[in-house]
Amino acid sequence: MIILSMNWIKPLTIVEFVFIGIFLLVYATYFIRLYLVARRLGTTARSVIIKFIIRGIYLGLCILGLLGPSFGVNEIEAQATGKDIFLVFDLSRSMDAIDIEPSRLEKTKFEITKNLDLLKSDRVGLIVFSSDAYTHTPLTFDRDAIKLFIQKLNTNLFLQNGTDLNAAFSLILKKFQSSHTLNSRKSKVIVLISDGEDFGKIDPTVIFELKKNKINLLTLGVGTPQGGLIRDGLEFKKDKEGKEVISKLNTAYLINLTKSLNGKYFQLTNQVNGVSDLLKEADKVESNWVDTRKMTVANNKYYYFVILALILMIIDILFTVRTIKI
């Protein structure tokens, strides 16, 4: 039989059995009532069986339609697109400056975590740098894991203080270039998060390689031009002469660096919050084609059953069956 050879998206559950049971119970009560009335009047109620058969059939057809019957298959092509995003955190001691409350790093962590889901289906990884750089979290689709690792970031992860962006960019290039062939087709995005202080000169070779590999740069400048003191335990960081150090956002440096890679610059202060705009911009970066695969899908034929059920419903409404002759 055709019905037995079909595939079903859903199995019969207790819900379907309950509806069938209710229908049979209600209709049995209705049939018995008509039968008793007909006996008292000396007529027959046999013709009501026609209605029962019609209604039973279209109820059954509706239930079969809900179960998602399918037969036959179609072959379709599914294209996979992809984009890899590295969040690159500056963890030099200047990120502990308090010109942004409670500090530059803490404010950034809070805003990035809150808005991270704007990146949708992209793979995200974490790279941290100061005097050196390392991969804190490999590229992953697991947003909860990324959020957890972001929350645990602090400037004490590096023993030596300093800011070497060359180390971070070189590591990023190494990570992207060592990817498998399929992954290398993906769009690549760097989200640099820093105050731009004490970067020094960027190696021109690194900039050239970033451009060559079509790596997109988005920069978040964290801090204020007026600057702020750097928290150091219960006190503030001091220089060799015993004066409190004031760290200032180096906006010009970050903007020039971003322009050299045709990127976009955003800022985070107590008054300006460009984090959501930055992540939306990262999400807008076009995802490249990665792979095309052929998939076999079953043809859902539920509408055959539904259309037939509707036809029987119309017949049931238009044609009445006389059960009592007067």
Side-chain angles (χ1 to χ4, degrees):
M1 293 179 65
I2 295 178
I3 291 180
L4 294 177
S5 64
M6 287 183 184
N7 296 316
W8 305 91
I9 295 175
K10 298 178 182 178
L12 276 172
T13 63
I14 188 65
V15 176
E16 284 79 23
F17 283 117
V18 167
F19 276 111
I20 293 171
I22 292 173
F23 172 79
L24 293 174
L25 180 62
V26 171
Y27 215 93
T29 304
Y30 171 70
F31 183 80
I32 292 170
R33 181 174 173 275
L34 280 181
Y35 175 76
L36 294 175
V37 171
R39 280 195 62 182
R40 290 179 183 175
L41 298 175
T43 60
T44 178
R46 292 176 187 173
S47 55
V48 79
I49 295 175
I50 297 173
K51 283 280 191 179
F52 174 76
I53 293 173
I54 293 174
R55 292 171 183 174
I57 291 173
Y58 67 65
L59 174 67
L61 289 171
C62 288
I63 291 174
L64 291 175
L66 288 172
L67 296 180
S70 61
F71 51 88
V73 294
N74 280 338
E75 196 173 67
I76 62 171
E77 285 190 350
Q79 290 189 348
T81 58
K83 181 166 58 191
D84 288 340
I85 301 173
F86 269 116
L87 302 177
V88 184
F89 277 83
D90 179 0
L91 294 186
S92 58
R93 290 300 306 278
S94 60
M95 290 296 286
D96 286 331
I98 58 172
D99 52 345
I100 298 179
E101 298 175 351
S103 73
R104 293 175 182 172
L105 181 58
E106 291 303 317
K107 177 67 172 179
T108 304
K109 285 161 54 177
F110 174 78
E111 293 297 336
I112 293 286
T113 302
K114 184 176 71 173
N115 293 283
L116 190 65
D117 291 331
L118 292 173
L119 295 179
K120 299 177 183 176
S121 60
D122 302 317
R123 290 201 307 174
V124 181
L126 293 181
I127 285 179
V128 295
F129 73 97
S130 180
S131 55
D132 198 0
Y134 70 87
T135 304
H136 195 63
T137 310
L139 290 165
T140 178
F141 291 105
D142 190 342
R143 293 289 180 274
D144 291 334
I146 293 291
K147 290 176 183 178
L148 179 63
F149 282 110
I150 289 175
Q151 289 168 0
K152 292 183 179 296
L153 293 179
N154 63 80
T155 57
N156 294 323
L157 292 177
F158 290 91
L159 296 177
Q160 294 183 345
N161 190 30
T163 309
D164 186 0
L165 190 55
N166 284 305
F169 281 168
S170 297
L171 177 60
I172 291 166
L173 284 168
K174 183 179 177 182
K175 288 296 177 182
F176 281 141
Q177 290 171 347
S178 64
S179 300
H180 297 297
T181 304
L182 288 180
N183 288 340
S184 65
R185 296 174 184 170
K186 291 185 175 182
S187 297
K188 308 170 188 71
V189 182
I190 300 172
V191 176
L192 175 63
I193 300 160
S194 177
D195 53 25
E197 196 172 51
D198 299 328
F199 270 3
K201 189 175 181 180
I202 303 295
D203 187 347
T205 306
V206 173
I207 299 294
F208 174 78
E209 288 296 324
L210 290 172
K211 288 182 177 180
K212 179 183 175 181
N213 286 273
K214 297 179 180 179
I215 297 174
N216 301 275
L217 175 64
L218 300 174
T219 304
L220 180 68
V222 186
T224 62
Q226 297 77 24
L229 300 174
I230 302 172
R231 196 176 296 281
D232 186 13
L234 298 177
E235 299 181 353
F236 296 103
K237 187 178 179 181
K238 298 179 180 179
D239 58 19
K240 294 179 181 179
E241 298 176 356
K243 296 181 180 180
E244 292 179 335
V245 176
I246 296 178
S247 172
K248 298 180 180 181
L249 170 67
N250 195 339
T251 308
Y253 183 95
L254 291 175
I255 291 175
N256 289 333
L257 172 64
T258 306
K259 284 183 176 179
S260 68
L261 288 167
N262 300 315
K264 289 189 177 182
Y265 176 79
F266 301 85
Q267 194 162 328
L268 177 62
T269 67
N270 287 325
Q271 290 76 34
V272 179
N273 188 344
V275 173
S276 62
D277 291 335
L278 179 145
L279 295 180
K280 287 177 183 177
E281 188 66 32
D283 185 61
K284 287 179 184 177
V285 174
E286 185 177 356
S287 296
N288 285 347
W289 170 81
V290 176
D291 192 14
T292 300
R293 297 183 182 182
K294 290 186 177 181
M295 300 175 62
T296 300
V297 295
N299 294 324
N300 192 342
K301 303 295 185 180
Y302 72 94
Y303 46 87
Y304 290 159
F305 296 86
V306 174
I307 291 171
L308 187 55
L310 288 173
I311 292 172
L312 291 175
M313 287 180 189
I314 293 170
I315 293 172
D316 184 24
I317 294 169
L318 294 179
F319 296 93
T320 60
V321 178
R322 188 182 299 175
T323 58
I324 299 173
K325 296 179 181 179
I326 301 176

